[in-house]
């Protein structure tokens, strides 16, 4: 999984590889799963701030917003039903990911992505046509199934297809598409909010079918990964695909390494029991905590509810949607920074730098809101409102080149093949679980904790930065099937869990 001219070096031996058009096209098509996910994150926050949507489905929230002074500035949107509209998707996704674990293993990454697109397509049609809250929530649940399947299959697909040297950059295409989806959703919300009548929100929700259709068609075009084909016993087809995506005829060393990894993987009868073995504990702990920490940066609270949050700060409806569009644009541009630096500077450098930047940003926002935004008085003013927007953008930028993409990249590249599908399922499960918790609780937390909610997230950012310093190893430039030997066995703390790992027979023969 390494490269010739522009490829990456392997570990025990260099794998020949070119950066082929097939790899780039396959990765772009597959990463539209991220576009689908990001569009939903961006669209739900904008729709929940639209008066016509609130009047139809959440009349109590609508009334609170029409009568100034009736509720605290922090509590105008505190409604469990409204939060359930956003969070039900993630509850469905965390259940769907376990079904997706079996489909990615037995049917392949390609077919799982196809199923994700179909689920999302049906869900977007239901949301567009929704006549009552029940129909809306059922549509959200189907969207959640699509997200669960896509978030399981796409990161694995990207990690397995990409040559080692640019694995980080290609994997981050998933996160880049997420950020583009959020930005597009924000711009659509800004436009549909101006439509007179009772259907602007329908257009916003219905257009989710566009990225769903892109993923559905894309999954029909892409090839499945060599790792997946070989693991399912299709050795010749897997070898042929490996030659096509690497652009060279000499793929024997990489092919044999994948075959050996597949042999070990196929001996595993109980994936989750295997995942709990001592030798897989470091990867499992890292995968789980990467997901928990990603959500407790507070990013999804800001992205889900950006228009609502900016309205709380005193921005008008137009201005709040416009401000969230600005943060969406910052998100996209900053993810491109990550694509450039992830395989140069490495994963740890990006996470550590961002930890400092995010901590300071949350601190400034908390101080300004604590001093100026009271329950029934908002003295923020135009100047300080812009200051808060600037620091929210600084926070979003640092997240977008660190915890955003790396929260998905690191778990997808660190598990051995026999534990990869199960490990990715656990990672997606915890991501969706804590996304659900934040989505369901944020507006209530904002109501009760007020400005201190930003101090709450700042404290978590401090904890996760310490975690990175001591417990997260660097995986830059390491072939995906050589992580155990070159990363985990060398780490000062995690190497104690590697005592039951067999010595690589190839290495033993070379000795």
């Amino acid at each position: 999984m390494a490269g010739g001219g522009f490829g990456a070096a392997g570990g025990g031996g260099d794998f020949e590889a070119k950066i082929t058009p097939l790899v780039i096209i396959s990765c772009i098509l597959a990463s539209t799963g991220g576009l689908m996910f990001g569009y939903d994150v961006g669209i739900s926050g904008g729709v929940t701030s639209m008066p016509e949507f609130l009047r139809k489905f959440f009349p109590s929230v609508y009334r609170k917003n029409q009568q100034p002074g009736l509720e605290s500035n922090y509590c105008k949107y505190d409604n469990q039903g409204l939060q359930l509209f956003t969070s039900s998707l993630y509850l469905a996704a965390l259940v769907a990911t376990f079904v997706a674990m079996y489909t990615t293993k037995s049917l392949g990454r390609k077919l799982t992505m196809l199923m994700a697109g179909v689920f999302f397509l049906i869900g977007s049609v239901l949301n567009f046509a929704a006549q009552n809250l029940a129909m809306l929530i059922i549509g959200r649940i189907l969207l959640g199934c699509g997200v669960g399947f896509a978030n399981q299959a796409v990161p694995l697909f990207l990690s397995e297809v990409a040559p080692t040297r640019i694995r980080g950059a290609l994997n981050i295409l998933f996160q880049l598409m997420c950020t583009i989806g959020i930005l597009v959703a924000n711009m659509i919300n800004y436009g549909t909010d101006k439509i007179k009548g009772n259907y602007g929100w329908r257009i916003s929700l219905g257009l989710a079918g566009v990225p769903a259709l892109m993923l559905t068609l894309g999954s029909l075009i892409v090839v499945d990964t060599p790792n997946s084909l070989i693991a399912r016993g299709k050795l010749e087809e897997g070898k042929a695909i490996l030659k096509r995506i690497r652009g060279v005829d000499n793929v024997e060393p990489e092919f044999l390494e994948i075959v050996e990894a597949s042999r070990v993987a196929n001996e595993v009868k109980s994936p989750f029991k295997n995942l709990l073995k001592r030798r897989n504990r470091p990867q499992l702990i890292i995968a789980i905590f990467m997901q928990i920490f990603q959500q407790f940066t507070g990013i999804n609270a800001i992205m889900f509810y950006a228009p609502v949050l900016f309205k709380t700060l005193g921005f008008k409806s137009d201005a709040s949607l416009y401000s969230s569009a600005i943060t969406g644009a910052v998100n996209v541009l900053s993810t491109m920074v990550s694509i450039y630096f992830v395989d140069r500077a490495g994963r740890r450098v990006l996470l550590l730098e961002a930890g400092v930047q995010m901590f300071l940003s949350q601190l400034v926002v908390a101080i300004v809101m604590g001093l100026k935004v009271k329950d029934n008085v908002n003295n923020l003013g135009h100047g300080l409102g812009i200051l808060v927007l600037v620091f929210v953008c600084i926070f979003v930028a640092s997240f977008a080149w660190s915890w955003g993409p790396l929260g998905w990249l690191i778990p997808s590249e660190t598990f051995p093949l026999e534990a990869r599908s199960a490990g990715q399922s656990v990672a997606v499960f915890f991501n969706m679980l804590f996304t659900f918790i934040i989505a369901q609780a944020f507006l209530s937390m904002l109501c009760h904790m007020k400005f201190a909610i930003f101090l709450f997230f700042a404290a978590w950012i401090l904890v996760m930065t310490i975690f990175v310093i001591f417990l997260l190893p660097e995986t830059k430039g390491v072939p995906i099937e050589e992580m155990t030997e070159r990363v985990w066995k060398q780490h000062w703390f995690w190497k104690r869990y590697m005592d039951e790992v067999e010595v690589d027979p190839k290495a033993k023969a070379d000795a």
Side-chain angles (χ1 to χ4, degrees), residues 37 54 65 85 120 144 191 237 346 357 359 374 410:
F37 184 31
L54 293 174
N65 277 274
F85 165 72
F120 211 86
E237 188 180 349
Q357 196 169 314
F359 178 80
K374 309 298 180 185
I410 292 171

Side-chain angles (χ1 to χ4, degrees), residues 392-468:
V392 167
C393 286
I394 291 171
F395 168 79
V396 169
S398 52
F399 174 86
W401 64 57
S402 61
W403 285 95
L406 300 183
W408 293 111
L409 168 62
I410 292 171
S412 73
E413 68 180 1
T414 50
F415 283 102
L417 185 59
E418 72 270 14
R420 198 168 296 151
S421 283
Q424 184 70 7
S425 282
V426 170
V428 174
F429 172 85
F430 275 92
N431 187 282
M432 293 299 127
L433 174 63
F434 282 90
T435 303
F436 168 77
I437 290 168
I438 294 293
Q440 187 64 28
F442 175 69
L443 295 179
S444 298
M445 289 169 71
L446 181 64
C447 178
H448 293 94
M449 296 174 72
K450 301 177 173 57
F451 70 90
I453 191 168
F454 296 97
L455 297 177
F456 170 80
F457 289 129
W460 273 98
I461 290 166
L462 185 62
V463 170
M464 63 186 74
T465 304
I466 293 169
F467 178 88
V468 171

Side-chain angles (χ1 to χ4, degrees), residues 9 48 53 151 223 232 235 252 273 298 330 358 383 410 429 457:
T48 51
F53 177 81
N151 287 10
V223 295
R232 288 181 285 139
L235 271 65
E252 200 66 20
K273 189 176 178 183
V330 169
M358 288 192 295
I410 292 171
F429 172 85
F457 289 129

Side-chain angles (χ1 to χ4, degrees), residues 25 27 60 72 139 144 181 190 228 284 363 398 454 459 481 503 507:
I25 292 167
C27 287
S60 62
S72 160
Y190 185 69
S228 176
L284 183 62
L363 210 55
S398 52
F454 296 97
E481 305 300 354
V503 177

Side-chain angles (χ1 to χ4, degrees), residues 270-448:
S270 175
F272 285 105
K273 189 176 178 183
N274 173 67
L275 191 61
L276 294 174
K277 286 184 176 177
R278 181 177 170 84
R279 66 171 178 264
N280 291 323
R281 213 166 293 166
Q283 302 93 315
L284 183 62
I285 291 169
I286 293 289
I288 290 172
F289 276 95
M290 288 296 289
Q291 307 314 309
I292 295 172
F293 289 152
Q294 188 192 65
Q295 296 312 308
F296 278 96
T297 58
I299 187 65
N300 275 343
I302 287 172
M303 285 306 185
F304 286 147
Y305 299 115
V308 171
L309 181 62
F310 287 126
K311 271 191 176 180
T312 298
L313 292 171
F315 288 71
K316 300 298 181 190
S317 180
D318 269 7
S320 67
L321 287 170
Y322 186 62
S323 300
S324 61
I326 292 172
T327 60
V330 169
N331 201 10
V332 172
L333 294 172
S334 301
T335 304
M336 292 179 182
V337 172
S338 185
I339 288 175
Y340 182 80
F341 282 109
V342 69
D343 291 313
R344 291 172 171 85
R347 284 67 162 152
R348 281 170 52 87
V349 169
L350 291 175
L351 290 168
L352 292 172
E353 185 281 332
V356 176
Q357 196 169 314
M358 288 192 295
F359 178 80
L360 294 175
S361 301
Q362 294 276 29
L363 210 55
V364 170
V365 172
I367 291 168
V368 172
M369 287 184 69
L371 292 173
K372 295 296 179 179
V373 183
K374 309 298 180 185
D375 277 341
N376 295 300
V377 181
N378 188 338
N379 295 319
L380 196 62
H382 182 72
L384 286 175
I386 297 300
L387 180 68
V388 169
L389 176 59
V390 167
F391 274 94
V392 167
C393 286
I394 291 171
F395 168 79
V396 169
S398 52
F399 174 86
W401 64 57
S402 61
W403 285 95
L406 300 183
W408 293 111
L409 168 62
I410 292 171
S412 73
E413 68 180 1
T414 50
F415 283 102
L417 185 59
E418 72 270 14
R420 198 168 296 151
S421 283
Q424 184 70 7
S425 282
V426 170
V428 174
F429 172 85
F430 275 92
N431 187 282
M432 293 299 127
L433 174 63
F434 282 90
T435 303
F436 168 77
I437 290 168
I438 294 293
Q440 187 64 28
F442 175 69
L443 295 179
S444 298
M445 289 169 71
L446 181 64
C447 178
H448 293 94

